[in-house]
């Protein structure tokens, strides 16, 4: 597990470094103008001092015959991307149309904040419950599943039927639809804390 954690940490650090270098290389600094951070829009007058590359893949929801920890992480990311798309492409554009007095047919879209909260909100989110389970001694996938059923039953985006409880499964009503997850392996897959010795090794590197 320590080796796997080291591999993940190394990959994450390299990925962040590459993104940082790309952002630095495409930023154009101009005297007397305030540099914008990535992710914003260019000003209409073309006076922005920053360039950016935007890549948005929002159609990557996964729903297989057997869905586990990996699918939940992927689907959580896509929930966040879907919200970003809704906010910046639909809501902000329509707000701009209203400000400019442009006539158009309003496009309604559902809000998926409750799905994001179900997965990650501090205090009761699925991944937060999982983290708590991994920190406690003697926990298993069964104790994790029981904790989910106890804390999340009644949440509108959460499903736990008698069949699912018997099989230690649960369902999440994502933006793209219902996905059913198997809790087997969740606890072990989430135990990827980087050992202090490994972090010291990385910090001592001159690369």
């Amino acid at each position: 597990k320590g080796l796997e954690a080291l591999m993940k940490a190394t990959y994450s650090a390299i990925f962040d470094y590459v993104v940082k270098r790309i952002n630095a290389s495409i930023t154009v600094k101009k005297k007397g103008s305030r540099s914008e951070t990535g992710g914003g829009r260019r000003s209409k007058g073309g006076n922005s001092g920053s360039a950016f590359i935007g890549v948005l893949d929002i159609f990557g929801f996964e729903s297989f015959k057997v869905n586990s920890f990996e699918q939940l992480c992927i689907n959580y990311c896509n929930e966040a991307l879907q919200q970003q798309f809704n906010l910046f492409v639909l809501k902000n554009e329509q707000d701009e149309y209203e400000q400019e007095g442009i006539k158009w047919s309003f496009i309604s879209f559902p809000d998926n904040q409750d799905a994001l909260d179900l997965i990650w909100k501090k205090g009761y989110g699925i991944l937060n419950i999982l983290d708590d389970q991994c920190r406690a001694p003697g926990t298993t996938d069964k104790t994790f599943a029981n904790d989910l059923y106890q804390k999340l039953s009644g949440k509108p985006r959460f499903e736990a039927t008698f069949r699912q409880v018997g099989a230690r499964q649960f369902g999440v009503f994502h933006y793209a639809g219902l996905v059913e997850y198997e809790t087997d392996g969740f606890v072990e897959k989430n135990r990827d804390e980087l050992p202090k010795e490994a972090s010291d090794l990385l910090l001592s590197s001159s690369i």
Side-chain angles (χ1 to χ4, degrees):
K1 278 297 174 181
L3 177 60
E4 292 180 6
L6 178 61
M7 292 167 60
K8 290 178 183 178
T10 304
Y11 176 85
S12 178
I14 293 173
F15 184 86
D16 290 343
Y17 173 76
V18 170
V19 171
K20 185 177 180 180
R21 288 297 301 270
I22 292 174
N23 288 340
S25 68
I26 64 177
T27 299
V28 179
K29 295 182 180 180
K30 291 184 178 181
K31 292 182 179 180
S33 64
R34 301 172 70 181
S35 178
E36 294 180 357
T37 57
R41 291 187 178 184
R42 290 177 179 273
S43 61
K44 291 183 179 178
N47 295 323
S48 171
S50 299
F52 68 90
I53 298 175
V55 179
L56 182 60
D57 176 11
I58 62 171
F59 299 107
F61 283 93
E62 292 192 353
S63 181
F64 303 129
K65 187 175 182 180
V66 177
N67 300 289
S68 188
F69 177 72
E70 297 84 355
Q71 281 69 49
L72 181 64
C73 292
I74 291 170
N75 289 341
Y76 170 69
C77 290
N78 280 288
E79 284 284 359
L81 289 171
Q82 183 67 58
Q83 185 185 63
Q84 192 84 346
F85 177 83
N86 289 349
L87 179 62
F88 287 97
V89 176
L90 297 178
K91 184 179 184 301
N92 287 0
E93 284 292 338
Q94 295 188 108
D95 288 345
E96 189 172 319
Y97 286 177
E98 285 187 347
Q99 293 172 8
E100 297 182 359
I102 299 174
K103 294 182 179 181
W104 90 105
S105 297
F106 182 80
I107 302 173
S108 61
F109 53 90
D111 184 7
N112 66 334
Q113 183 60 52
D114 53 349
L116 292 169
D117 290 344
L118 175 68
I119 299 173
W120 186 241
K121 190 178 178 89
K122 187 175 181 179
Y124 72 81
I126 294 170
L127 294 178
N128 280 278
I129 292 173
L130 180 60
D131 285 342
D132 290 341
Q133 286 283 315
C134 290
R135 284 191 288 265
T139 53
T140 63
D141 293 326
K142 184 177 180 180
T143 61
F144 165 61
N146 290 337
D147 208 13
L148 286 182
Y149 303 144
Q150 180 180 354
K151 294 179 179 178
L152 299 180
S153 293
K155 298 291 182 184
R157 293 272 190 166
F158 184 78
E159 181 184 72
T161 64
F162 287 114
R163 176 190 62 80
Q164 289 170 329
V165 171
R168 293 210 297 270
Q169 300 171 342
F170 66 92
V172 174
F173 289 94
H174 289 285
Y175 185 91
L178 174 65
V179 179
E180 189 174 83
Y181 298 94
E182 307 266 354
T183 60
D184 289 346
F186 262 66
V187 172
E188 187 63 24
K189 290 174 181 177
N190 193 55
R191 280 182 174 147
D192 58 356
E193 184 177 355
L194 186 64
K196 185 178 184 303
E197 295 81 0
S199 60
D200 290 342
L201 174 65
L202 292 176
L203 290 172
S204 65
S205 173
S206 60
I207 299 177

